[in-house]
Amino acid sequence: MQDQKRRVFDLLRDCIVTFDSKGFREACQDALEAGIQPHEIINNGIAKGTEIIGAKFQAGEFYLSDLIMAGETVKEGMKVLEPHIIGKEELRSTGKVMIGTVAGDLHDIGKSIVRMFLQASRIDVIDLGVDVPVRKFISDVRSSCPDVLGMSGLMTISMDQMKAVMNQLNRAGLKKKVKVIIGGAPITSSYAAQIGADAGSNDAVQGVEAIRSWMTKS
């Protein structure tokens, strides 16, 4: 059985890396029919595949388009797994992340990549969408109590919106209750520190790794 599982996990991993949506979907179905539990499929197959995708992206072997295709591949497999995941105690979330693109910005790609990687790591993601006003970030942090708040923006003007959210989090006394990461093309770690965010990156994969490290420590 262990050899069979290993072959299945390797196939799942390889389907993600080669963007084989049909093969990945079929491999997920075959794994379930073979009695392999959903949490094993996610931890030993999907997560391994996304780790390789991230490493290849950071090494310059994969590009943004590759990350998008990998995300679509994972979505197809998750459609097969989701009916078997709901209510499963062993798939309990490892944390909750709220993400959104700040007001005035409609770019969604980077945020969607982050969401895909986090969900593959069994982290609950609340996606607020794009063009999210400051008041929406504040009210939803207060009501949903996420472990991490992520703000995304592709344009330089987005930086002022991120600063405004940070100011309001502090005024509302919420910052001490949530980690904050900001991301997007104009974002640097120094700017994140300047506005009081816990991390900042213009690399989606690095951002995911920072969030994962916070979840591990919590």
Side-chain angles (χ1 to χ4, degrees):
M1 182 64 174
Q2 289 304 316
D3 287 342
Q4 180 187 14
K5 283 186 177 182
R6 188 156 45 247
R7 287 193 297 271
V8 170
F9 297 148
D10 288 349
L11 178 59
L12 290 164
R13 177 200 64 202
D14 293 344
C15 284
I16 293 174
V17 175
T18 58
F19 321 124
D20 183 359
S21 296
K22 182 175 183 292
F24 184 64
R25 188 171 57 248
E26 291 175 351
C28 287
Q29 186 62 53
D30 290 344
L32 290 171
E33 291 176 0
I36 300 175
Q37 295 300 310
H39 74 280
E40 294 182 276
I41 296 171
I42 292 173
N43 292 340
N44 299 314
I46 297 177
K48 299 299 182 185
T50 58
E51 285 174 12
I52 292 173
I53 293 290
K56 285 183 175 292
F57 178 74
Q58 289 184 314
E61 298 176 33
F62 276 4
Y63 302 95
L64 185 59
S65 58
D66 297 307
L67 292 184
I68 295 171
M69 286 191 290
E72 292 303 315
T73 300
V74 171
K75 282 182 185 178
E76 287 301 309
M78 290 306 295
K79 290 177 184 177
V80 175
L81 297 180
E82 280 173 0
H84 304 271
I85 290 174
I86 298 172
K88 297 282 187 180
E89 180 64 22
E90 70 268 21
L91 287 174
R92 185 175 52 210
S93 170
T94 58
K96 185 193 298 182
V97 176
M98 179 179 291
I99 57 175
T101 302
V102 296
D105 198 322
L106 301 177
H107 293 90
D108 192 51
I109 293 176
K111 175 173 65 63
S112 296
I113 291 169
V114 169
R115 182 184 66 230
M116 180 269 291
F117 275 90
L118 292 176
Q119 289 174 333
S121 299
R122 293 187 299 119
I123 295 173
D124 284 340
V125 181
I126 301 171
D127 190 343
L128 301 181
V130 300
D131 195 22
V132 181
V134 174
R135 64 180 181 278
K136 174 70 171 174
F137 278 115
I138 303 305
S139 65
D140 283 30
V141 167
R142 181 180 285 113
S143 62
S144 298
C145 301
D147 301 291
V148 177
L149 170 65
M151 291 182 281
S152 175
L154 188 64
M155 300 179 294
T156 304
I157 59 173
S158 302
M159 298 167 72
D160 288 338
Q161 288 294 312
M162 294 174 180
K163 183 177 181 180
V165 172
M166 292 304 304
N167 288 339
Q168 290 300 318
L169 284 174
N170 282 313
R171 289 176 183 171
L174 296 172
K175 176 58 192 72
K176 58 187 176 183
K177 300 178 181 179
V178 63
K179 289 276 192 180
V180 178
I181 183 168
I182 59 175
I187 302 304
T188 63
S189 56
S190 60
Y191 182 71
Q194 179 183 327
I195 66 172
D198 298 281
S201 176
N202 55 21
D203 183 319
V205 175
Q206 289 180 354
V208 169
E209 289 306 313
I211 294 171
R212 282 174 171 165
S213 70
W214 293 334
M215 296 302 183
T216 301
K217 293 175 183 176
S218 62

